[in-house]
Amino acid sequence: MLGGSVYIALIRFAVSLAGTIVFFFLLAKPRFGRKMMIICYSCFSAALLTMACVWYVVDWESCARMVAFIMYLCFAVFAVIMSSDSVYLSIYKLVLVFYLLAVFLVGALEISILFFDRNVWADIVARICLIGLIAFLLNKYVRKAVEGFGDYVESEADKFSVTVMIICILFGIGYILNPNLNREMTIHRIYQILMNFFLTGTLQFLVFRFYLHVGKEKEYEREKQLIQMNYRLLERQLEILEESVESGKRLRHDIRHHNAVIAECARRGQTEELLQYLQEYDRETQQGALEMICANAAVNNMLSAYTRKAEHEQINVKLDVELGKDLEIPSIDLVAILANAYENAIYACMEVKRNLKEQECFIDLIIKRRKNKLIIFCSNTCKKEAVLKDGKPRSEFTGGVGVSSIVRTAKKYSGEYEFKNDNGVFIFRLIMNAKQNA
């Protein structure tokens, strides 16, 4: 602290608190609307600044030592409440804000000491300039990256490792902000400060890069699963096409025999025999034709392909599908959910049949549209001993096919899902908005 009247202290406190709020506001997801957030932060700031000024007047010495930490701790608790991020992710962002707070506090103070003979107004102006520069860089280069990074940390982070990282950063920044350090202007002191900033900043950057890399690896894995799913779907479609081609070849090869039979029946006047033969011929020509399950072409093709696969494995299939041609949900997202769920069901039935060959297996799939909601229900035979982890089936239970893809696509449309093993009957439920979130 450089000292000065309580009014100067109020200005310095207000600038520092405003900078901290701006940094966190740029990084965190607000819990309420902008107007409500501004009101809440304004009331909190007024109360906190009042208490800081009273403390400054009552006991300047202890205030100089502890005010930065106490104000930041109060802000941290309030910020977690005002953020819609998970508590763990909010703490990580607060650590980054704490580091930036140390940058502009120490940076402004050193500028004032080095170049302006400890002038308090130079310190205030330097703080404002540094806050503006850091906020600009955050908004332009860091904000979008941190948004995606936050999802990766929340879903992929090793909690113990990140906790240790946060503690290390807090200790490093705490050392920098320690007011009891020797304030004599020496090369050694400047070197210590710069090295601490460098090491704590490098640690932040390395953790950021590490979890960004881990998250992207998971993204690539999910994309790989989607490509594999599309590959399997194409295989099913090719099987249907090959069956249709073979059936067409056979029909064209035998067409002259059919014509001969029809002509002979006509010459003999065998009307009943002719009609019976034509009915059999009509049934035969329909073999290999794609079954119309619903009006949506993409979903119809996918369901037809996997239904044939299930019937080939001697699995009883019951479909109840009500879908129109046009859906607000893109076909690729809808097919990603249905194809994964259907193939997982087939895999579970095959696993049961592998162990109990006489076991009757079934798959029931219901797809309904109700106003702005899409309802998907799938039940199938499965192993009784198959257990779920974190409410989701394990990879060995589903054959490694993308449950994560189902969950991710469901969240994209604010969907609510449930996986359940009901004594040997696996149940998958999903209700999601028919329109994508803006």
Side-chain angles (χ1 to χ4, degrees):
M1 296 285 285
L2 298 178
S5 67
V6 67
Y7 302 106
I8 293 177
L10 173 62
I11 295 173
R12 297 172 73 190
F13 293 156
V15 170
S16 300
L17 183 59
T20 306
I21 292 174
V22 168
F23 295 161
F24 188 75
F25 206 75
L26 288 172
L27 297 174
K29 295 179 182 178
R31 185 178 296 275
F32 308 109
R34 177 169 294 184
K35 185 177 180 181
M36 184 64 180
M37 294 292 289
I38 291 174
I39 293 173
C40 291
Y41 272 108
S42 298
C43 295
F44 168 78
S45 300
L48 188 62
L49 291 173
T50 300
M51 289 187 290
C53 289
V54 170
W55 186 10
Y56 184 85
V57 172
V58 172
D59 189 352
W60 179 88
E61 186 176 349
S62 64
C63 181
R65 288 198 306 268
M66 299 297 297
V67 68
F69 290 102
I70 299 302
M71 287 183 67
Y72 183 77
L73 288 176
C74 293
F75 169 78
V77 174
F78 182 77
V80 170
I81 298 173
M82 299 301 293
S83 173
S84 62
D85 292 321
S86 66
V87 174
Y88 191 81
L89 184 57
S90 295
I91 292 173
Y92 179 84
K93 292 180 178 180
L94 282 167
V95 171
L96 177 57
V97 171
F98 192 25
Y99 175 77
L100 298 176
L101 169 67
V103 170
F104 75 74
L105 281 181
V106 176
L109 193 60
E110 295 303 319
I111 290 172
S112 175
I113 294 173
L114 286 172
F115 303 108
F116 297 97
D117 193 24
R118 298 178 176 267
N119 185 282
V120 292
W121 293 107
D123 174 54
I124 293 171
V125 172
R127 289 188 189 192
I128 295 173
C129 293
L130 287 173
I131 289 171
L133 176 62
I134 295 172
F136 171 77
L137 295 175
L138 274 180
N139 188 59
K140 187 170 183 179
Y141 298 107
V142 180
R143 188 176 185 179
K144 290 184 179 180
V146 168
E147 289 176 0
F149 168 73
D151 295 334
Y152 299 148
V153 171
E154 194 167 359
S155 59
E156 311 295 346
D158 174 3
K159 301 299 188 292
F160 176 78
S161 299
V162 180
T163 301
V164 173
M165 178 274 300
I166 290 174
I167 293 173
C168 292
I169 292 176
L170 290 177
F171 274 123
I173 300 172
Y175 176 80
I176 295 171
L177 292 177
N178 185 1
N180 294 321
L181 288 177
N182 180 18
R183 283 296 177 184
E184 292 298 324
M185 186 57 57
T186 64
I187 298 297
H188 178 67
R189 185 174 71 85
I190 295 175
Y191 174 77
Q192 281 184 317
I193 292 173
L194 291 177
M195 286 306 299
N196 270 278
F197 272 124
F198 174 76
L199 292 176
T200 51
T202 301
L203 181 57
Q204 285 267 15
F205 179 74
L206 289 177
V207 170
F208 173 82
R209 294 294 300 176
F210 172 73
Y211 282 106
L212 195 63
H213 176 73
V214 171
K216 287 184 177 180
E217 285 293 321
K218 293 293 183 179
E219 290 286 335
Y220 296 149
E221 182 64 27
R222 283 190 283 265
E223 290 177 4
K224 178 184 175 182
Q225 290 178 346
L226 183 59
I227 292 172
Q228 290 175 340
M229 181 198 70
N230 290 333
Y231 175 75
R232 290 190 290 270
L233 183 58
L234 285 174
E235 282 186 328
R236 306 288 176 263
Q237 293 283 23
L238 285 174
E239 289 173 4
I240 295 174
L241 181 59
E242 288 174 358
E243 291 176 7
S244 299
V245 170
E246 290 298 322
S247 178
K249 286 181 178 178
R250 180 168 52 82
L251 289 174
R252 287 193 296 273
H253 178 74
D254 295 337
I255 192 67
R256 65 178 184 275
H257 302 297
H258 295 306
N259 289 340
V261 173
I262 293 170
E264 186 63 24
C265 289
R267 280 194 297 269
R268 295 184 180 185
Q270 297 173 332
T271 308
E272 293 296 327
E273 289 81 356
L274 178 59
L275 289 174
Q276 182 179 357
Y277 182 80
L278 288 174
Q279 288 176 353
E280 293 176 358
Y281 177 73
D282 183 64
R283 284 196 297 270
E284 188 175 1
T285 56
Q286 291 300 320
Q287 291 181 1
L290 188 64
E291 182 184 0
M292 288 303 297
I293 299 173
C294 67
N296 186 280
V299 174
N300 184 80
N301 293 340
M302 183 276 301
L303 293 178
S304 297
Y306 280 103
T307 299
R308 291 214 177 195
K309 172 66 175 176
E311 291 174 347
H312 177 73
E313 299 293 338
Q314 298 180 342
I315 301 170
N316 298 321
V317 177
K318 181 180 178 182
L319 300 176
D320 184 5
V321 182
E322 295 180 6
L323 283 180
K325 292 183 179 180
D326 300 321
L327 285 175
E328 291 83 354
I329 300 175
S331 296
I332 188 170
D333 288 336
L334 188 56
V335 168
I337 293 175
L338 294 175
N340 278 306
Y342 207 161
E343 187 156 12
N344 287 344
I346 293 173
Y347 179 85
C349 291
M350 290 171 61
E351 282 293 298
V352 173
K353 281 184 169 292
R354 189 174 292 115
N355 298 323
L356 300 171
K357 294 184 179 180
E358 302 301 323
Q359 174 73 40
E360 288 289 330
C361 295
F362 72 91
I363 297 174
D364 291 344
L365 179 61
I366 301 173
I367 307 172
K368 302 284 186 180
R369 172 76 181 272
R370 294 291 182 267
K371 296 183 179 179
N372 291 329
K373 299 292 183 180
L374 184 66
I375 303 169
I376 299 173
F377 175 88
C378 182
S379 62
N380 58 271
T381 309
C382 70
K383 294 179 180 180
K384 291 183 180 181
E385 62 272 18
V387 296
L388 280 65
K389 181 180 180 182
D390 298 328
K392 302 172 188 176
R394 297 171 181 266
S395 59
E396 61 267 24
F397 178 38
T398 62
V401 183
V403 171
S404 60
S405 178
I406 295 176
V407 172
R408 186 185 178 202
T409 308
K411 288 182 178 179
K412 183 178 178 181
Y413 298 93
S414 302
E416 297 180 3
Y417 58 88
E418 179 188 21
F419 298 98
K420 179 181 176 183
N421 184 355
D422 188 7
N423 195 29
V425 177
F426 184 77
I427 297 173
F428 164 58
R429 296 187 182 94
L430 172 63
I431 301 175
M432 62 181 184
N433 292 330
K435 292 186 177 181
Q436 183 179 356
N437 291 334

